[in-house]
Amino acid sequence: MTQPLRIGMIGYGFMGRAHTNGYKRVGDFFPELKYRPVLQAACARDSEKVKAFADQWGYASTETDWRKLVERKDIDAVDICVPNNLHKEIALACAANKKMILCEKPLSMTVAEGEEMCQAVEKAGVVNTVWYNYRRIPAVTLAKNLIDEGKLGRIFHYRANFLQDWTISSDLPQGGQGLWRLDAAAAGSGVTGDLLAHCIDTALWLNGSIADVNAMTETFIKERKHNLTGKVEKVGIDDACAFLCHFENGSLGLFESTRYARGHKALYTFEINGEKASIKWDLHDLHRLEFFNHGDEGQLRGWRSIHVTDGDHPYMGNWWVPGLQIGYEHSFVHHVADFLKSLESGTPCEPTFRSALETQKVCEAVLTSAKDRTWQKI
Amino acid sequence: MTQPLRIGMIGYGFMGRAHTNGYKRVGDFFPELKYRPVLQAACARDSEKVKAFADQWGYASTETDWRKLVERKDIDAVDICVPNNLHKEIALACAANKKMILCEKPLSMTVAEGEEMCQAVEKAGVVNTVWYNYRRIPAVTLAKNLIDEGKLGRIFHYRANFLQDWTISSDLPQGGQGLWRLDAAAAGSGVTGDLLAHCIDTALWLNGSIADVNAMTETFIKERKHNLTGKVEKVGIDDACAFLCHFENGSLGLFESTRYARGHKALYTFEINGEKASIKWDLHDLHRLEFFNHGDEGQLRGWRSIHVTDGDHPYMGNWWVPGLQIGYEHSFVHHVADFLKSLESGTPCEPTFRSALETQKVCEAVLTSAKDRTWQKI
Amino acid sequence: MTQPLRIGMIGYGFMGRAHTNGYKRVGDFFPELKYRPVLQAACARDSEKVKAFADQWGYASTETDWRKLVERKDIDAVDICVPNNLHKEIALACAANKKMILCEKPLSMTVAEGEEMCQAVEKAGVVNTVWYNYRRIPAVTLAKNLIDEGKLGRIFHYRANFLQDWTISSDLPQGGQGLWRLDAAAAGSGVTGDLLAHCIDTALWLNGSIADVNAMTETFIKERKHNLTGKVEKVGIDDACAFLCHFENGSLGLFESTRYARGHKALYTFEINGEKASIKWDLHDLHRLEFFNHGDEGQLRGWRSIHVTDGDHPYMGNWWVPGLQIGYEHSFVHHVADFLKSLESGTPCEPTFRSALETQKVCEAVLTSAKDRTWQKI
Amino acid sequence: MTQPLRIGMIGYGFMGRAHTNGYKRVGDFFPELKYRPVLQAACARDSEKVKAFADQWGYASTETDWRKLVERKDIDAVDICVPNNLHKEIALACAANKKMILCEKPLSMTVAEGEEMCQAVEKAGVVNTVWYNYRRIPAVTLAKNLIDEGKLGRIFHYRANFLQDWTISSDLPQGGQGLWRLDAAAAGSGVTGDLLAHCIDTALWLNGSIADVNAMTETFIKERKHNLTGKVEKVGIDDACAFLCHFENGSLGLFESTRYARGHKALYTFEINGEKASIKWDLHDLHRLEFFNHGDEGQLRGWRSIHVTDGDHPYMGNWWVPGLQIGYEHSFVHHVADFLKSLESGTPCEPTFRSALETQKVCEAVLTSAKDRTWQKI
């Protein structure tokens, strides 16, 4: 017998759709799970828009005040899918109301906020997770498995970047629906919290803690029209950010993110060089993992392009047949599946708030370093 | 107001899941459509298995006799998802019962069967389509658009292959659930009907009619244990097939398919060389289209790797944001969407039975050519 | 002490330069060889042009009549670098004068001519080789080694193509310097002798004899201005050719060549699928070999892109350091090196005339098959 | 009439061979040049080894004392191909003796040394150049041309790395023939002077001056046996180095180099993101340039893989035919060709000592920054 998990969704943007799709599909492809998400309520300030969203996706009811949603008795778990500046307040209310929380990344605007959120959920004992979805792309999970099995040996280098090109035009405004990521008041930071946070989460997961960082940031377009005020205003976010770092395991890290890399839509890549093997991955061809194994016969060594679509690859036994790729959205289905499994087993669903706070610490140190032009310890 | 389209699904294998997923997701991503599929009934001989399937996917009821399903008043459209040797009989019954038909490819075992099916649906006036899903992968649809716009100019060459490696082991048996594709009695042919049929459908769509063919086939493993009889029996299918052909437009064609190409899981590729431009596509990276434009400035000509994930790419405006790829299964969602649109507009949803019969003719000519070692006109 | 090998070069075109470069560089990079080529004489009908060529490249003398060159006492080896219709006559004269022969491919216009040439050199006992240079690209030689070591196991498929796009314009004339390859009188055939001959030579070397073939050819542009007559004349060559075949080892072959594949300059590729492993190679990235090893751990199987630049790769110990690629011209240096080695050891330098005659037989059967629309045995 | 340029070569290692090959081949492929290099003398301390080298490559004479070579009247130009710690002394002697100088990179051990060298050659008025050969790889030169034509527009990002993996084993000793690059006393630095210097030279050429840098370095293996002393000694070089920087044009730079990137033999890559277009290049496939043009029609934008082998590509008109790639060594032939051209025209052959000093300044600032953990102005 399956058991319902009644979801209250706050927000209906890009991420609202991606998460909802995860809830709706998990039962079809992971029928072995005990819990089944139920789309209980969707919430947003604009009553017409949230009704349209609920109709399209099948939410049973709507709210326009997130406090009401959080207080509803018929909600088991709240999905926080709103701009970063609202995460904390909603999360604290959820904790107070003993709701499970699935919070969109990054966890918070600041480390201080994040710490408050962690303490709240831990004190309340509510289940929590943060949507760093890229961990659950099968090729990335496979990378994790290889590292855990010791296939790479001592790690020397970790490099990652997340390159986009969608804000190059100076005509693009900032603020408001769809563009809040350009507004420092709503987003907290630019590419650091939006894109580098993904790179950092994966890195901490795959390669352990970061000891110190040294960063630079840049805002290429200094002023943009603000959608909320209608005026041309100073841009407060970082358009680009790069940093050097040392990991605790002695390896060197190099990270970069930008929205000004013409030709790259959403190119998140990472590469790890170990003594025995190296791996590479790239979001634009997310179903592949590149693997170089020094243990192979000398003349025949080469980077292997592994098409991660076999039944024995992570998560793939639940999908199609070898050679048939899945896409971006499936990472959210997998996150939901793992979340539901964690409810069965009573173990945390990583990354929890506490784990995601580590990413927040690195992000904050990066921004401080860029401002002060100094190395920052984490 | 949306209008329900009540689906009766016959079969629950790999394709049964893929089609069902298409029905379930189309409303979420194509909310503009008037019709909405309803999973009314699933049908298969094994009552337990079909119930499990119905439970997992949400079919409202089950049947174990397809004739009953076809006769049910509460079914609008029947999806034929069973081995090839049952297509004709079921299709004729559907026509007789005025059901719309969505038939898995290939249309039929023979041209004669296919012709009978075409006449039945045309006489009955029932809507019909065949699941040649690869037409609806956005990169493939984009290829079609480029050709229709004249961007390639006069066509010189068309080449396609579909390479797999899953039957190399001689321990693999033939026949029965999951392996009926190796049993000539159920499948009619081997790679020709299973894989080349896809290549041919796409080719006829993109490059027009084929005039004549010259083929060779091979069965590398001559005998396999048969799951239904338990005995080692002669293998009746073609393990590999290749053919030369002339298209009516004067271009040359080269096609190949095999299940013995070590290293390729489901590598369907095609390439078209025109006077002004060329295009290439590959199922293993289905979200990309390679495009070479002779009109580009001389020094800067090169194959462009187009990441087909933008809002103005075919179908992609209904999915995520640029750079985020979709997968194999989405081709079925698109087929369903187009089918539903065709109901609104009253136009056929290609390929219809009649169009799919053209592919059948080429397949049959290919097999005859291989047997007789002669060129065969279509 | 090194020993001179006095070369007489007939012809000064593209191949004349490539061979001469081979002679000049072999001593620098293969200092272990006993023989050293000496550029004794260059020969061509146009006295000014041959003098310019000799000056540029360092030939000690010139001739305008190839018969004189062949009769000179101070010439040890003659390099036949002229259009195909002159190969036989010169080769017979060389044999009569006991000169070693390095003949440009294809060996001859017809099998009958080739047989006559073989008998002449064998009767005279003169050393002979044909410049099928692609065998000596390190990645191709590595492929040969892998096959000989049994790494691929039973072979199922061999496919090769050679795609160009330089004759698409109908303004291009035929005949004369630089364009004799479009003139059937000089070339014998079009892509079959020019390009497919390379593919066939490699295939016979890597995969053994071909049993039978079935081909089609096409001449897309039917008439072109002829440079020698100044008139528009019928084009007698094949612009494109494709064929199916069976190898004696039971594998299936698929070959194609064209000069109408927009976007491909000189894309010679081959792929071999074996039971245990597969390999792929491509002239546009000639320093790489793609290798898929089924013996690799299941989850980690993938095509390896081997960068063939290590000291233990064929020929590469004589060049630079790992990671630094060599180019097209080096295949000729290697051919010269192997030719000189063969003089030391007294063994034939493959392909000899006799071996190259096998390629000629396949080419002729291909052209006959295309004309008669029948399968042809070799 | 060609005019001889008599070369005196000091050193006979990897670079001695690469330069010599450049001198020997330039006349064959660039016959239009007035000057022709003559291999007048080779010099090294070991008389037997230098004789063997001279014999192999065709130097007319040998010396064992570089001072003698520099003083010889029959030498026009001296090629300094010895470890970095000897560059200055030899260069000053050359200037004193009015010899032209072709000096291997990096220019010097320190900026102070380099400044002294610049002043010496400028005061003496002797022609000078430094072998930053990668500028002359056709794809890299094409990149330069595109930038100069304004095809990229405003530049936002420059990133480069040079990744190797040949020193991972702790068994590898330092010092002496072939391994002096691991010995700080001979090399001055590790990857910074050896590999990053290349990246910096290209960057300054393509993207202009660097304003400031922030670096980190690492020595993964702290002690290695020293070949000259026979003892285990501290390793003084940087095994890896990465740095952030600002270019004067406002773009951000990210550079990295290491000899611990398993799977990369000599992977020098750079990427430049401009407002209108981006380019990428990679030494492992050096005959290709990747180009993304935002001006292309929206649906058809994609990275173009330009196979830089056409007659209108830089330098390529002097080599083979389209599609046939050249290799690493050709960059030296091009450098020689440009050097000889510069003698004809009386213009400097870039990079001169003075230009190469700019790279030296960045290298020194990088090492200082890594030591002091601060931003350094150039």
Side-chain angles (χ1 to χ4, degrees), chain A residues 283-333:
Chain A
L283 180 58
H284 275 200
D285 296 290
L286 61 81
H287 56 297
R288 291 187 178 273
L289 185 71
E290 304 287 322
F291 175 64
F292 182 93
N293 184 29
H294 187 63
D296 286 341
E297 182 185 342
Q299 278 202 336
L300 301 178
R301 284 183 201 128
W303 283 87
R304 298 184 199 173
S305 185
I306 305 173
H307 202 262
V308 186
T309 57
D310 286 350
D312 58 353
H313 284 136
Y315 301 105
M316 293 307 297
N318 290 63
W319 295 98
W320 311 105
V321 298
L324 300 181
Q325 68 191 69
I326 59 172
Y328 164 75
E329 73 213 46
H330 300 72
S331 60
F332 296 96
V333 182

Side-chain angles (χ1 to χ4, degrees), chain D residues 9 12 17 35 39 68 72 74 105 119 144 163 177 187 221 223 263 291 306 311 318 335 348 376 378:
Chain D
M9 164 67 66
Y12 58 81
R17 295 169 73 232
Y35 289 91
L39 302 183
K68 280 209 180 157
R72 271 172 61 164
D74 64 342
K105 49 65 57 184
Q119 289 179 12
K144 170 68 170 165
L163 308 180
Q177 178 69 19
I221 306 230
E223 296 186 325
F291 175 64
I306 305 173
N318 290 63
H335 201 137
Q376 292 289 320
I378 307 301

Side-chain angles (χ1 to χ4, degrees), chain A residues 336-354:
Chain A
V336 174
D338 286 343
F339 182 78
L340 300 181
K341 266 179 224 163
S342 79
L343 297 184
E344 292 184 44
S345 64
T347 53
C349 179
E350 290 292 339
T352 60
F353 279 23
R354 184 57 68 187

Side-chain angles (χ1 to χ4, degrees), chain B residues 208-230:
Chain B
S209 298
I210 289 173
D212 57 8
V213 300
N214 197 333
M216 69 177 171
T217 57
E218 184 64 72
T219 304
F220 289 113
I221 308 235
K222 309 295 186 195
E223 296 187 325
R224 292 181 183 276
K225 195 188 138 194
H226 201 298
N227 272 332
L228 301 184
T229 65

Side-chain angles (χ1 to χ4, degrees), chain B residues 32-236:
Chain B
E32 67 273 21
L33 297 173
K34 183 175 147 199
Y35 288 93
R36 290 265 176 133
V38 172
L39 302 182
Q40 198 74 357
C43 172
R45 276 173 298 191
D46 184 317
S47 66
E48 277 190 39
K49 284 185 177 164
V50 74
K51 274 200 178 107
F53 174 73
D55 277 358
Q56 178 174 347
W57 288 89
Y59 280 91
S61 64
T62 61
E63 296 288 348
T64 55
D65 177 352
W66 64 260
R67 290 177 191 282
K68 281 207 179 159
L69 180 100
V70 168
E71 288 163 6
R72 273 172 58 164
K73 300 290 175 206
D74 64 344
I75 299 288
D76 300 312
V78 172
D79 191 324
I80 305 177
C81 251
V82 290
N84 308 340
N85 58 340
L86 297 172
H87 287 194
K88 189 192 80 170
E89 199 178 359
I90 299 176
L92 296 188
C94 288
N97 285 277
K98 303 284 177 192
K99 305 300 188 199
M100 302 177 195
I101 314 175
L102 302 101
C103 184
E104 180 52 28
K105 51 66 53 185
L107 177 62
S108 55
M109 298 284 275
T110 63
V111 171
E113 270 194 13
E115 182 59 47
E116 204 179 336
M117 292 164 78
C118 286
Q119 289 180 12
V121 295
E122 287 164 2
K123 197 175 154 201
V126 300
V127 168
N128 57 87
T129 194
V130 179
W131 290 95
Y132 281 110
N133 61 302
Y134 293 124
R135 292 185 180 201
R136 267 99 180 178
I137 286 177
V140 178
T141 311
L142 179 58
K144 170 68 170 165
N145 294 347
L146 296 183
I147 292 166
D148 287 354
E149 291 164 16
K151 284 219 158 61
L152 272 66
R154 177 182 173 191
I155 305 298
F156 296 118
H157 292 284
Y158 191 105
R159 61 188 75 83
N161 56 24
F162 206 136
L163 308 181
Q164 300 186 330
D165 67 357
W166 63 284
T167 67
I168 292 179
S169 167
S170 58
D171 295 339
L172 193 74
Q174 60 177 316
Q177 178 70 19
L179 292 169
W180 64 265
R181 282 179 180 82
L182 276 73
D183 179 2
S189 67
V191 295
T192 300
D194 183 21
L195 305 178
L196 276 177
H198 275 300
C199 302
I200 295 164
D201 174 72
T202 313
L204 297 179
W205 188 51
L206 296 179
N207 200 37
S209 298
I210 289 173
D212 57 8
V213 300
N214 197 333
M216 69 177 171
T217 57
E218 184 64 72
T219 304
F220 289 113
I221 308 235
K222 309 295 186 195
E223 296 187 325
R224 292 181 183 276
K225 195 188 138 194
H226 201 298
N227 272 332
L228 301 184
T229 65
K231 292 180 190 160
V232 173
E233 296 191 9
K234 194 182 165 197
V235 172

Side-chain angles (χ1 to χ4, degrees), chain C residues 25 28 56 265 307 329, chain D residues 25 28 56 265 307 329:
Chain C
R25 303 186 65 205
D28 293 344
Q56 178 173 346
K265 298 171 185 175
H307 201 263
E329 73 213 47
Chain D
R25 301 186 65 204
D28 293 343
Q56 178 174 347
K265 298 172 186 175
H307 201 263
E329 74 213 46

